[in-house]
Amino acid sequence: MSEQSAWRVGAGAVAITTATVLPVFLLGASSVQVGAELGFDPAVLGLLVAAYFGVSALMSLPVGRIVERFGSRVTSRVAVLGSATFLLATALLARSLTVLTVILLCSAWCNVMGQLSSNLTLARSMPQRRMGLSFGVKQASVPLATLLAGLAVPALALTVGWRWSYVGAAALALAAFAAAPTGSAARPDDSPRDADRATAALAVIGAASGLGAAAATGLGIFLVASAVDRGVSPGLAGLVLTMGSVVGLVMRVFLGWLADRRAGGHVAVVATCLLTGAVGLALLALPGPVALVVGVVLGFGLGWSWPGLLQFAVVRLNPEAPAAATAIVQVGVYAGGFLGPVGFGLLASSVSFTAAWLVAAAAMVVAGAGVLVGRRMLLAHRAARSAPPVGVR
């Protein structure tokens, strides 16, 4: 593959993933304005986002099989068109909390399909020497979506209204359709054995990463509301969110770049990121601008920088069916996205944002330990596969 072709594939994967994750993060960034009009507080916001990721978790495995069956060429475009449709529907039809909820939940499959189709495109189209970087760049689309959502607050939501921020997001999604990579065609013959897929180890890592996702989801969803609760203006809070998104974006790319220069140890790096990111979340529980800035930098830069590296490691282990294998891990990540906002929102509303950040930090520590357990299972699985049969020397 030429440098230009590799760049186009990577850019297209970023465009697809960013466009399909915009609906949920745009709601989090503009929650103050949307909540004021439709009448909901941080606890309800947490329930909305939780339900979104809960639907995503339920759809991850079946959508993974669909992406493997029909290929990323078709599924990536379907996901982007779906996202643009639901963004416009929010701007035009969301006149009550009930309608907003229905539209948001109906858009969940777009995010799942966009993520998995991009994974399949990179796994089958990107050269091995650029695979880690490409997954880092692709996963940078999540903080990129948060960045765009944060910019939409002072640029649109606080000027012409939050509905116009959804219109702008829909326009970006349609632009992503034009940038979608060619992708892979259908391959119905892909049916690797579960034993080759190290399903048990992937399930443990998925569960641990779900805890990490549960803790880190609060960064993109509740950071603005938390800062406003401490007296920070909504515009400045949106800019702090933007800063964290930039840091997270850069770190995801950097970790992917480093992965291409290592022979292994990728899962161990994921665990290190989680354990260090927990320090950042704990700092967000402290008062003062210094703790806020450092906490956001560590939280986004390490605590929420590992998904691309994790997906890269899973794809390297399961090259025969990358979408189906990463779907196993994504079940845990989406389940964490379901539980995290519920717990965080309820704690923030009933106790305080301080308590919510401390609990999130503790969950991220447990997540790092769980990933290390999954890593040991992966190593044992590899050793068992490479060992000769009994009686053979």
Side-chain angles (χ1 to χ4, degrees), residues 100-121:
L100 175 68
T101 301
V102 171
I103 295 174
L104 182 68
L105 296 187
C106 288
S107 70
W109 66 267
C110 303
N111 179 26
V112 179
M113 186 169 287
Q115 285 273 359
L116 298 181
S117 64
S118 295
N119 290 349
L120 184 60
T121 295

Side-chain angles (χ1 to χ4, degrees), residues 7-203:
W7 185 88
R8 287 177 178 174
V9 169
V14 170
I16 294 298
T17 310
T18 303
T20 53
V21 81
L22 267 177
V24 67
F25 285 107
L26 184 58
L27 177 62
S30 57
S31 61
V32 175
Q33 294 74 39
V34 181
E37 179 177 335
L38 301 185
F40 62 85
D41 59 12
V44 175
L45 173 64
L47 291 173
L48 286 175
V49 177
Y52 175 91
F53 285 112
V55 173
S56 299
L58 293 174
M59 301 190 70
S60 185
L61 292 178
V63 169
R65 289 191 289 268
I66 290 172
V67 172
E68 291 284 355
R69 170 65 180 84
F70 293 98
S72 59
R73 184 180 305 166
V74 173
T75 54
S76 62
R77 287 163 172 78
V78 171
V80 168
L81 286 178
S83 180
T85 300
F86 290 118
L87 285 166
L88 278 177
T90 302
L92 298 174
L93 303 176
R95 305 291 174 178
S96 68
L97 179 59
T98 300
V99 175
L100 175 68
T101 301
V102 171
I103 295 174
L104 182 68
L105 296 187
C106 288
S107 70
W109 66 267
C110 303
N111 179 26
V112 179
M113 186 169 287
Q115 285 273 359
L116 298 181
S117 64
S118 295
N119 290 349
L120 184 60
T121 295
L122 295 179
R124 291 182 175 164
S125 302
M126 190 64 64
Q128 288 293 322
R129 69 183 186 280
R130 298 289 178 83
M131 187 75 71
L133 178 61
S134 68
F135 271 92
V137 171
K138 193 270 290 185
Q139 284 304 118
S141 59
V142 176
L144 177 59
T146 310
L147 184 154
L148 293 173
L151 288 177
V153 174
L156 294 173
L158 295 177
T159 54
V160 294
W162 65 267
R163 294 182 186 277
W164 283 104
S165 64
Y166 276 84
V167 173
L172 287 177
L174 291 176
F177 182 86
T182 301
S184 64
R187 290 181 63 175
D189 57 335
D190 282 342
S191 56
R193 294 170 299 164
D194 286 344
D196 293 337
R197 202 180 291 166
T199 304
L202 291 177

Side-chain angles (χ1 to χ4, degrees), residues 291-336:
L292 174 65
V293 172
V294 176
V296 168
V297 170
L298 287 179
F300 272 104
L302 291 171
W304 203 212
S305 63
W306 47 268
L309 182 60
L310 181 60
Q311 292 188 7
F312 165 68
V314 171
V315 166
R316 287 288 297 271
L317 180 66
N318 302 272
E320 302 90 352
T326 53
I328 297 174
V329 176
Q330 285 299 109
V331 170
V333 174
Y334 289 137

